[in-house]
Amino acid sequence: MSVVTLAAALSAAGLEYGIEAVQGLAILRPRTGVPTDASSLRAIAPQLAREHGFTHVALELVGDASGAGAAVSRA
């Protein structure tokens, strides 16, 4: 499992997200407010997460620290 390589792979795909790992879960947080590329992310994130050792992906929809509004997907 590698947060660094997953972040690099997302960045190479034009998706800028910060990532936090909790066991097999990759939590993706948009670097700039609310994500506008959610459909692109939904198409590619589970595959990339799997390639980098994660089993699940969560997308934080709003940039608040409470974690409210996260959507979870099996990688």
Side-chain angles (χ1 to χ4, degrees), residues 25-67:
L25 171 65
I27 302 169
L28 283 58
R29 291 190 176 95
R31 294 190 190 266
T32 56
V34 178
T36 57
D37 54 9
S39 62
S40 297
L41 183 69
R42 184 175 181 181
I44 197 168
Q47 175 188 349
L48 289 176
R50 240 186 334 271
E51 290 172 9
H52 295 276
F54 294 93
T55 57
H56 291 79
V57 176
L59 170 60
E60 189 168 285
L61 299 176
V62 291
D64 83 13
S66 72

